[in-house]
Amino acid sequence: MQDHDWSEIDPRLEVTCSIGLADWSLTNRLEAALHIADANLYAAKNAGRNRCMATPA
């Protein structure tokens, strides 16, 4: 995303993306999977921009 040319929208626009993932099969519970994904999202943000974090299986 960061390398994409966004200048057609706005020449000053810069886009980055952080993603947190959770493996549903580890919990089979929506609330638990969302909690794990949220924790991984904040770990990705704390590690820097343009990161994707997942809990190892």
Side-chain angles (χ1 to χ4, degrees), residues 45-56:
K45 287 177 178 254
N46 289 332
R49 295 180 177 181
N50 294 319
R51 305 284 177 145
C52 181
M53 302 290 275
T55 304

Side-chain angles (χ1 to χ4, degrees), residues 3-23:
D3 294 335
H4 183 77
D5 180 10
W6 299 97
S7 62
E8 287 185 24
I9 298 172
D10 185 327
R12 301 164 294 167
L13 183 62
E14 295 180 21
V15 178
T16 60
C17 182
S18 297
I19 299 171
L21 299 173
D23 185 346

Side-chain angles (χ1 to χ4, degrees), residues 22-29 33 57:
D23 185 346
W24 172 265
S25 67
L26 296 177
T27 65
N28 289 325
R29 292 181 29 236

